[in-house]
CSV table of all heavy atoms in Angstrom, one decimal:
chain,number,residue,atom,x,y,z
A,23,TYR,N,2.2,-8.2,-2.6
A,23,TYR,CA,3.1,-7.6,-3.6
A,23,TYR,C,4.5,-8.1,-3.5
A,23,TYR,O,5.2,-8.2,-4.5
A,23,TYR,CB,3.0,-6.1,-3.4
A,23,TYR,CG,1.7,-5.5,-3.9
A,23,TYR,CD1,0.7,-4.9,-3.1
A,23,TYR,CD2,1.4,-5.5,-5.3
A,23,TYR,CE1,-0.5,-4.4,-3.5
A,23,TYR,CE2,0.2,-5.0,-5.8
A,23,TYR,CZ,-0.8,-4.5,-4.9
A,23,TYR,OH,-1.9,-4.0,-5.3
A,24,TRP,N,5.0,-8.3,-2.3
A,24,TRP,CA,6.4,-8.8,-2.2
A,24,TRP,C,6.5,-10.1,-2.9
A,24,TRP,O,7.5,-10.4,-3.6
A,24,TRP,CB,6.7,-9.0,-0.7
A,24,TRP,CG,8.1,-9.6,-0.5
A,24,TRP,CD1,9.3,-9.1,-0.5
A,24,TRP,CD2,8.2,-11.0,-0.2
A,24,TRP,NE1,10.3,-10.0,-0.3
A,24,TRP,CE2,9.7,-11.2,-0.1
A,24,TRP,CE3,7.4,-12.1,-0.2
A,24,TRP,CZ2,10.2,-12.5,0.1
A,24,TRP,CZ3,7.9,-13.4,0.1
A,24,TRP,CH2,9.3,-13.6,0.2
A,25,PHE,N,5.5,-11.0,-2.6
A,25,PHE,CA,5.5,-12.4,-3.2
A,25,PHE,C,5.5,-12.3,-4.8
A,25,PHE,O,6.2,-12.9,-5.5
A,25,PHE,CB,4.3,-13.3,-2.8
A,25,PHE,CG,4.3,-14.6,-3.3
A,25,PHE,CD1,5.2,-15.6,-2.9
A,25,PHE,CD2,3.4,-14.9,-4.3
A,25,PHE,CE1,5.1,-16.8,-3.4
A,25,PHE,CE2,3.4,-16.2,-4.9
A,25,PHE,CZ,4.2,-17.1,-4.4
A,26,VAL,N,4.5,-11.4,-5.3
A,26,VAL,CA,4.3,-11.3,-6.7
A,26,VAL,C,5.6,-10.8,-7.4
A,26,VAL,O,6.0,-11.3,-8.5
A,26,VAL,CB,3.2,-10.5,-7.0
A,26,VAL,CG1,3.1,-10.1,-8.6
A,26,VAL,CG2,1.9,-11.1,-6.6
A,27,PHE,N,6.2,-9.7,-6.8
A,27,PHE,CA,7.3,-9.0,-7.5
A,27,PHE,C,8.6,-9.6,-7.2
A,27,PHE,O,9.6,-9.2,-7.8
A,27,PHE,CB,7.2,-7.6,-7.2
A,27,PHE,CG,6.1,-6.9,-7.9
A,27,PHE,CD1,5.0,-6.5,-7.2
A,27,PHE,CD2,6.2,-6.5,-9.3
A,27,PHE,CE1,4.0,-5.8,-7.8
A,27,PHE,CE2,5.2,-5.9,-9.9
A,27,PHE,CZ,4.0,-5.5,-9.2
A,28,THR,N,8.7,-10.6,-6.2
A,28,THR,CA,10.1,-11.1,-5.9
A,28,THR,C,10.1,-12.6,-6.2
A,28,THR,O,11.2,-13.2,-6.5
A,28,THR,CB,10.5,-10.9,-4.4
A,28,THR,OG1,9.5,-11.5,-3.6
A,28,THR,CG2,10.5,-9.4,-4.1
A,29,GLN,N,8.9,-13.3,-6.1
A,29,GLN,CA,9.0,-14.8,-6.2
A,29,GLN,C,8.3,-15.3,-7.6
A,29,GLN,O,8.7,-16.2,-8.1
A,29,GLN,CB,8.2,-15.4,-5.0
A,29,GLN,CG,8.7,-15.0,-3.7
A,29,GLN,CD,10.1,-15.3,-3.4
A,29,GLN,OE1,10.6,-16.5,-3.7
A,29,GLN,NE2,10.9,-14.3,-2.9
A,30,VAL,N,7.4,-14.5,-8.1
A,30,VAL,CA,6.7,-14.9,-9.3
A,30,VAL,C,7.3,-14.2,-10.5
A,30,VAL,O,7.6,-14.9,-11.5
A,30,VAL,CB,5.2,-14.5,-9.2
A,30,VAL,CG1,4.4,-14.9,-10.5
A,30,VAL,CG2,4.6,-15.2,-8.0
A,31,PHE,N,7.4,-12.9,-10.5
A,31,PHE,CA,7.9,-12.1,-11.6
A,31,PHE,C,9.4,-11.6,-11.3
A,31,PHE,O,9.7,-11.4,-10.1
A,31,PHE,CB,7.1,-11.0,-12.0
A,31,PHE,CG,5.7,-11.4,-12.4
A,31,PHE,CD1,4.6,-11.1,-11.6
A,31,PHE,CD2,5.5,-12.1,-13.6
A,31,PHE,CE1,3.3,-11.5,-12.0
A,31,PHE,CE2,4.2,-12.4,-14.0
A,31,PHE,CZ,3.2,-12.2,-13.2
A,32,GLN,N,10.1,-11.3,-12.3
A,32,GLN,CA,11.4,-10.8,-12.1
A,32,GLN,C,11.2,-9.2,-11.9
A,32,GLN,O,10.8,-8.5,-12.9
A,32,GLN,CB,12.3,-11.0,-13.4
A,32,GLN,CG,13.7,-10.5,-13.2
A,32,GLN,CD,14.5,-11.2,-12.1
A,32,GLN,OE1,14.3,-12.4,-11.9
A,32,GLN,NE2,15.4,-10.6,-11.5
A,33,ARG,N,11.4,-8.8,-10.7
A,33,ARG,CA,11.1,-7.3,-10.5
A,33,ARG,C,12.2,-6.4,-11.0
A,33,ARG,O,13.5,-6.7,-10.8
A,33,ARG,CB,11.1,-7.1,-8.9
A,33,ARG,CG,10.8,-5.8,-8.4
A,33,ARG,CD,10.7,-5.7,-6.9
A,33,ARG,NE,11.7,-6.4,-6.2
A,33,ARG,CZ,12.9,-5.8,-5.9
A,33,ARG,NH1,13.1,-4.5,-6.2
A,33,ARG,NH2,13.8,-6.5,-5.2
A,34,SER,N,11.8,-5.3,-11.6
A,34,SER,CA,12.8,-4.3,-12.0
A,34,SER,C,12.6,-2.9,-11.5
A,34,SER,O,13.1,-2.0,-11.9
A,34,SER,CB,12.7,-4.2,-13.6
A,34,SER,OG,11.4,-3.8,-14.0
A,35,VAL,N,11.7,-2.9,-10.4
A,35,VAL,CA,11.4,-1.6,-9.8
A,35,VAL,C,11.8,-1.7,-8.3
A,35,VAL,O,11.8,-2.8,-7.7
A,35,VAL,CB,10.0,-1.2,-9.9
A,35,VAL,CG1,9.7,-0.9,-11.4
A,35,VAL,CG2,9.0,-2.2,-9.4
A,36,GLY,N,11.9,-0.6,-7.6
A,36,GLY,CA,12.1,-0.5,-6.2
A,36,GLY,C,13.5,-0.8,-5.8
A,36,GLY,O,14.4,-0.9,-6.7
A,37,ASN,N,13.7,-0.9,-4.5
A,37,ASN,CA,15.1,-1.1,-3.9
A,37,ASN,C,15.0,-2.3,-3.0
A,37,ASN,O,13.9,-2.7,-2.5
A,37,ASN,CB,15.6,0.1,-3.2
A,37,ASN,CG,15.9,1.3,-4.2
A,37,ASN,OD1,16.7,1.2,-5.0
A,37,ASN,ND2,15.1,2.3,-4.1
A,38,GLU,N,16.2,-2.8,-2.7
A,38,GLU,CA,16.3,-3.9,-1.7
A,38,GLU,C,16.6,-3.3,-0.3
A,38,GLU,O,17.4,-2.4,-0.2
A,38,GLU,CB,17.3,-4.9,-2.1
A,38,GLU,CG,17.0,-5.7,-3.3
A,38,GLU,CD,15.8,-6.6,-3.0
A,38,GLU,OE1,15.4,-6.9,-1.9
A,38,GLU,OE2,15.2,-7.2,-4.0
A,39,PRO,N,16.0,-3.8,0.8
A,39,PRO,CA,15.0,-4.9,0.8
A,39,PRO,C,13.6,-4.4,0.4
A,39,PRO,O,13.2,-3.3,0.9
A,39,PRO,CB,15.0,-5.3,2.3
A,39,PRO,CG,15.5,-4.1,3.1
A,39,PRO,CD,16.5,-3.4,2.1
A,40,TYR,N,13.0,-5.1,-0.5
A,40,TYR,CA,11.7,-4.6,-1.2
A,40,TYR,C,10.6,-4.6,-0.2
A,40,TYR,O,9.8,-3.7,-0.3
A,40,TYR,CB,11.4,-5.6,-2.3
A,40,TYR,CG,10.3,-5.1,-3.1
A,40,TYR,CD1,10.4,-3.9,-3.8
A,40,TYR,CD2,9.1,-5.8,-3.3
A,40,TYR,CE1,9.4,-3.4,-4.5
A,40,TYR,CE2,8.1,-5.4,-4.1
A,40,TYR,CZ,8.2,-4.1,-4.7
A,40,TYR,OH,7.1,-3.6,-5.5
A,41,ILE,N,10.6,-5.4,0.8
A,41,ILE,CA,9.5,-5.4,1.8
A,41,ILE,C,9.5,-4.1,2.5
A,41,ILE,O,8.4,-3.5,2.8
A,41,ILE,CB,9.5,-6.6,2.7
A,41,ILE,CG1,8.2,-6.7,3.6
A,41,ILE,CG2,10.8,-6.6,3.6
A,41,ILE,CD1,7.0,-7.0,2.8
A,42,VAL,N,10.7,-3.6,2.9
A,42,VAL,CA,10.8,-2.3,3.6
A,42,VAL,C,10.5,-1.2,2.6
A,42,VAL,O,9.8,-0.2,3.0
A,42,VAL,CB,12.2,-2.1,4.1
A,42,VAL,CG1,12.4,-0.7,4.7
A,42,VAL,CG2,12.6,-3.2,5.1
A,43,PHE,N,10.9,-1.3,1.4
A,43,PHE,CA,10.6,-0.3,0.3
A,43,PHE,C,9.1,-0.2,0.2
A,43,PHE,O,8.5,0.9,0.1
A,43,PHE,CB,11.2,-0.7,-1.0
A,43,PHE,CG,11.0,0.2,-2.1
A,43,PHE,CD1,11.8,1.3,-2.3
A,43,PHE,CD2,9.9,0.0,-3.0
A,43,PHE,CE1,11.6,2.2,-3.4
A,43,PHE,CE2,9.7,0.9,-4.1
A,43,PHE,CZ,10.6,2.0,-4.3
A,44,LEU,N,8.3,-1.3,0.1
A,44,LEU,CA,6.9,-1.3,0.0
A,44,LEU,C,6.2,-0.7,1.2
A,44,LEU,O,5.3,0.1,1.1
A,44,LEU,CB,6.4,-2.8,-0.1
A,44,LEU,CG,6.2,-3.4,-1.5
A,44,LEU,CD1,5.8,-4.8,-1.4
A,44,LEU,CD2,5.1,-2.6,-2.3
A,45,LEU,N,6.6,-1.2,2.5
A,45,LEU,CA,5.9,-0.8,3.6
A,45,LEU,C,6.1,0.7,3.9
A,45,LEU,O,5.2,1.4,4.4
A,45,LEU,CB,6.4,-1.6,4.8
A,45,LEU,CG,5.9,-3.0,4.9
A,45,LEU,CD1,6.6,-3.7,6.1
A,45,LEU,CD2,4.3,-3.0,5.2
A,46,ALA,N,7.2,1.3,3.5
A,46,ALA,CA,7.5,2.7,3.8
A,46,ALA,C,6.5,3.6,3.0
A,46,ALA,O,6.3,4.7,3.4
A,46,ALA,CB,8.9,3.0,3.3
A,47,ALA,N,5.9,3.1,2.0
A,47,ALA,CA,4.9,3.9,1.3
A,47,ALA,C,3.5,3.3,1.5
A,47,ALA,O,2.5,4.1,1.5
A,47,ALA,CB,5.1,3.9,-0.2
A,48,LEU,N,3.4,2.0,1.7
A,48,LEU,CA,2.0,1.4,1.8
A,48,LEU,C,1.4,1.8,3.2
A,48,LEU,O,0.2,2.1,3.2
A,48,LEU,CB,2.2,-0.1,1.8
A,48,LEU,CG,1.0,-1.0,1.6
A,48,LEU,CD1,0.1,-0.5,0.4
A,48,LEU,CD2,1.3,-2.4,1.6
A,49,LEU,N,2.2,1.9,4.2
A,49,LEU,CA,1.5,2.3,5.5
A,49,LEU,C,0.9,3.7,5.4
A,49,LEU,O,-0.2,3.9,5.9
A,49,LEU,CB,2.6,2.2,6.6
A,49,LEU,CG,3.1,0.8,7.0
A,49,LEU,CD1,4.1,0.8,8.1
A,49,LEU,CD2,1.9,-0.1,7.5
A,50,PRO,N,1.7,4.7,5.0
A,50,PRO,CA,1.0,6.0,4.9
A,50,PRO,C,0.0,6.1,3.8
A,50,PRO,O,-1.0,6.9,4.0
A,50,PRO,CB,2.2,7.0,4.4
A,50,PRO,CG,3.3,6.1,3.9
A,50,PRO,CD,3.1,4.8,4.6
A,51,TRP,N,0.0,5.2,2.8
A,51,TRP,CA,-1.1,5.1,1.9
A,51,TRP,C,-2.4,4.7,2.5
A,51,TRP,O,-3.5,5.2,2.3
A,51,TRP,CB,-0.9,4.2,0.7
A,51,TRP,CG,-2.0,3.8,-0.1
A,51,TRP,CD1,-2.7,2.6,0.1
A,51,TRP,CD2,-2.8,4.6,-1.0
A,51,TRP,NE1,-3.8,2.7,-0.8
A,51,TRP,CE2,-3.9,3.9,-1.4
A,51,TRP,CE3,-2.6,5.9,-1.5
A,51,TRP,CZ2,-4.8,4.4,-2.4
A,51,TRP,CZ3,-3.5,6.4,-2.4
A,51,TRP,CH2,-4.6,5.6,-2.8
A,52,MET,N,-2.3,3.7,3.5
A,52,MET,CA,-3.4,3.2,4.2
A,52,MET,C,-4.0,4.3,5.0
A,52,MET,O,-5.3,4.4,5.2
A,52,MET,CB,-3.1,2.0,5.1
A,52,MET,CG,-2.5,0.8,4.3
A,52,MET,SD,-3.6,0.2,3.1
A,52,MET,CE,-4.9,-0.5,4.1
A,53,TRP,N,-3.2,5.2,5.6
A,53,TRP,CA,-3.8,6.4,6.3
A,53,TRP,C,-4.5,7.3,5.4
A,53,TRP,O,-5.7,7.6,5.7
A,53,TRP,CB,-2.6,7.1,6.9
A,53,TRP,CG,-2.9,8.4,7.5
A,53,TRP,CD1,-4.1,8.9,7.9
A,53,TRP,CD2,-2.0,9.5,7.9
A,53,TRP,NE1,-4.0,10.2,8.4
A,53,TRP,CE2,-2.7,10.5,8.5
A,53,TRP,CE3,-0.6,9.6,7.8
A,53,TRP,CZ2,-2.1,11.7,9.0
A,53,TRP,CZ3,0.0,10.8,8.4
A,53,TRP,CH2,-0.7,11.8,8.9
A,54,PHE,N,-4.0,7.6,4.2
A,54,PHE,CA,-4.6,8.5,3.3
A,54,PHE,C,-5.9,7.9,2.7
A,54,PHE,O,-7.0,8.5,2.8
A,54,PHE,CB,-3.7,8.9,2.2
A,54,PHE,CG,-4.3,9.8,1.1
A,54,PHE,CD1,-4.4,11.1,1.3
A,54,PHE,CD2,-4.8,9.2,-0.1
A,54,PHE,CE1,-5.0,12.0,0.3
A,54,PHE,CE2,-5.4,10.1,-1.0
A,54,PHE,CZ,-5.4,11.4,-0.8
A,55,ASN,N,-5.8,6.7,2.4
A,55,ASN,CA,-7.0,6.0,1.8
A,55,ASN,C,-8.1,5.8,2.8
A,55,ASN,O,-9.3,6.0,2.4
A,55,ASN,CB,-6.5,4.6,1.2
A,55,ASN,CG,-7.6,3.8,0.6
A,55,ASN,OD1,-8.1,4.1,-0.4
A,55,ASN,ND2,-8.0,2.7,1.3
A,56,GLY,N,-7.7,5.3,3.9
A,56,GLY,CA,-8.8,5.1,5.0
A,56,GLY,C,-9.5,6.4,5.4
A,56,GLY,O,-10.7,6.4,5.5
A,57,ALA,N,-8.7,7.5,5.6
A,57,ALA,CA,-9.3,8.7,6.0
A,57,ALA,C,-10.3,9.3,4.9
A,57,ALA,O,-11.3,9.8,5.3
A,57,ALA,CB,-8.2,9.8,6.3
A,58,ILE,N,-9.8,9.3,3.7
A,58,ILE,CA,-10.6,9.9,2.6
A,58,ILE,C,-11.9,9.0,2.4
A,58,ILE,O,-12.9,9.5,2.2
A,58,ILE,CB,-9.8,10.0,1.3
A,58,ILE,CG1,-8.6,10.9,1.5
A,58,ILE,CG2,-10.7,10.5,0.2
A,58,ILE,CD1,-9.0,12.3,2.1
A,59,SER,N,-11.7,7.7,2.5
A,59,SER,CA,-12.9,6.8,2.3
A,59,SER,C,-13.9,7.1,3.4
A,59,SER,O,-15.1,7.1,3.1
A,59,SER,CB,-12.4,5.4,2.4
A,59,SER,OG,-11.6,5.0,1.3
A,60,ASP,N,-13.4,7.2,4.7
A,60,ASP,CA,-14.3,7.5,5.8
A,60,ASP,C,-15.0,8.9,5.7
A,60,ASP,O,-16.1,9.2,6.1
A,60,ASP,CB,-13.6,7.4,7.1
A,60,ASP,CG,-13.3,6.0,7.5
A,60,ASP,OD1,-13.8,5.0,6.8
A,60,ASP,OD2,-12.7,5.7,8.5
A,61,CYS,N,-14.3,9.9,5.0
A,61,CYS,CA,-14.8,11.2,4.9
A,61,CYS,C,-16.0,11.3,4.0
A,61,CYS,O,-16.8,12.2,4.1
A,61,CYS,CB,-13.7,12.1,4.3
A,61,CYS,SG,-12.5,12.7,5.6
A,62,THR,N,-16.1,10.3,3.1
A,62,THR,CA,-17.3,10.2,2.2
A,62,THR,C,-18.6,10.0,3.0
A,62,THR,O,-19.7,10.3,2.5
A,62,THR,CB,-17.2,9.2,1.2
A,62,THR,OG1,-17.0,7.9,1.8
A,62,THR,CG2,-16.0,9.4,0.3
A,63,ARG,N,-18.4,9.5,4.2
A,63,ARG,CA,-19.6,9.3,5.1
A,63,ARG,C,-19.6,10.1,6.4
A,63,ARG,O,-20.3,9.8,7.3
A,63,ARG,CB,-19.7,7.7,5.5
A,63,ARG,CG,-19.7,6.8,4.3
A,63,ARG,CD,-19.8,5.4,4.6
A,63,ARG,NE,-18.6,4.9,5.3
A,63,ARG,CZ,-17.5,4.5,4.6
A,63,ARG,NH1,-17.5,4.5,3.3
A,63,ARG,NH2,-16.4,4.1,5.3
A,64,ALA,N,-18.7,11.0,6.5
A,64,ALA,CA,-18.4,11.8,7.7
A,64,ALA,C,-19.7,12.5,8.2
A,64,ALA,O,-20.0,12.4,9.4
A,64,ALA,CB,-17.3,12.8,7.5
A,65,PHE,N,-20.5,13.1,7.3
A,65,PHE,CA,-21.7,13.8,7.8
A,65,PHE,C,-22.9,13.0,7.8
A,65,PHE,O,-23.8,13.1,8.5
A,65,PHE,CB,-21.9,15.0,6.8
A,65,PHE,CG,-20.9,16.1,7.0
A,65,PHE,CD1,-20.2,16.6,5.9
A,65,PHE,CD2,-20.5,16.5,8.3
A,65,PHE,CE1,-19.2,17.6,6.1
A,65,PHE,CE2,-19.7,17.6,8.5
A,65,PHE,CZ,-18.9,18.1,7.4
A,66,LEU,N,-22.9,12.0,6.9
A,66,LEU,CA,-24.2,11.1,6.7
A,66,LEU,C,-24.3,10.2,8.0
A,66,LEU,O,-25.4,9.9,8.4
A,66,LEU,CB,-24.1,10.4,5.4
A,66,LEU,CG,-24.1,11.2,4.2
A,66,LEU,CD1,-23.9,10.3,3.0
A,66,LEU,CD2,-25.3,12.1,4.1
A,67,ARG,N,-23.1,9.7,8.4
A,67,ARG,CA,-23.1,8.8,9.5
A,67,ARG,C,-23.5,9.4,10.8
A,67,ARG,O,-24.1,8.8,11.7
A,67,ARG,CB,-21.7,8.1,9.6
A,67,ARG,CG,-21.7,7.0,10.7
A,67,ARG,CD,-20.3,6.4,10.7
A,67,ARG,NE,-19.9,5.7,9.5
A,67,ARG,CZ,-18.7,5.2,9.1
A,67,ARG,NH1,-17.7,5.4,10.0
A,67,ARG,NH2,-18.5,4.6,8.1
A,68,GLU,N,-23.1,10.6,11.1
A,68,GLU,CA,-23.2,11.3,12.4
A,68,GLU,C,-24.2,12.5,12.3
A,68,GLU,O,-24.1,13.5,12.9
A,68,GLU,CB,-21.9,11.8,12.9
A,68,GLU,CG,-20.8,10.8,12.9
A,68,GLU,CD,-20.9,9.9,14.2
A,68,GLU,OE1,-21.8,10.2,15.0
A,68,GLU,OE2,-20.0,9.2,14.5
C-alpha cells in the first residue's frame, strides 16, 4: 500500500510518514481479522 499510494499514484489521504500512518492501523487490523477468522473454526477444530 505504501508503494501504490506513494510511488504509483498521487496520494491524497493519510498523513506523513505514510508507512507509520498505515502500520498504526494495519497491525491492530491483523489482530481483529485473524481472531475473527479463527473464531469461525473455534468449535469445529477442537
Side-chain angles (χ1 to χ4, degrees):
Y23 285 112
W24 173 85
F25 178 78
V26 169
F27 287 104
T28 62
Q29 306 301 311
V30 178
F31 299 110
Q32 186 67 32
R33 176 176 55 85
S34 59
V35 296
N37 292 293
E38 292 293 345
Y40 188 60
I41 189 67
V42 175
F43 182 85
L44 264 177
L45 285 171
L48 193 56
L49 292 177
W51 164 258
M52 299 302 291
W53 172 14
F54 180 80
N55 180 71
I58 300 306
S59 296
D60 285 355
C61 280
T62 61
R63 302 181 295 275
F65 291 127
L66 301 175
R67 181 182 294 172
E68 304 279 4

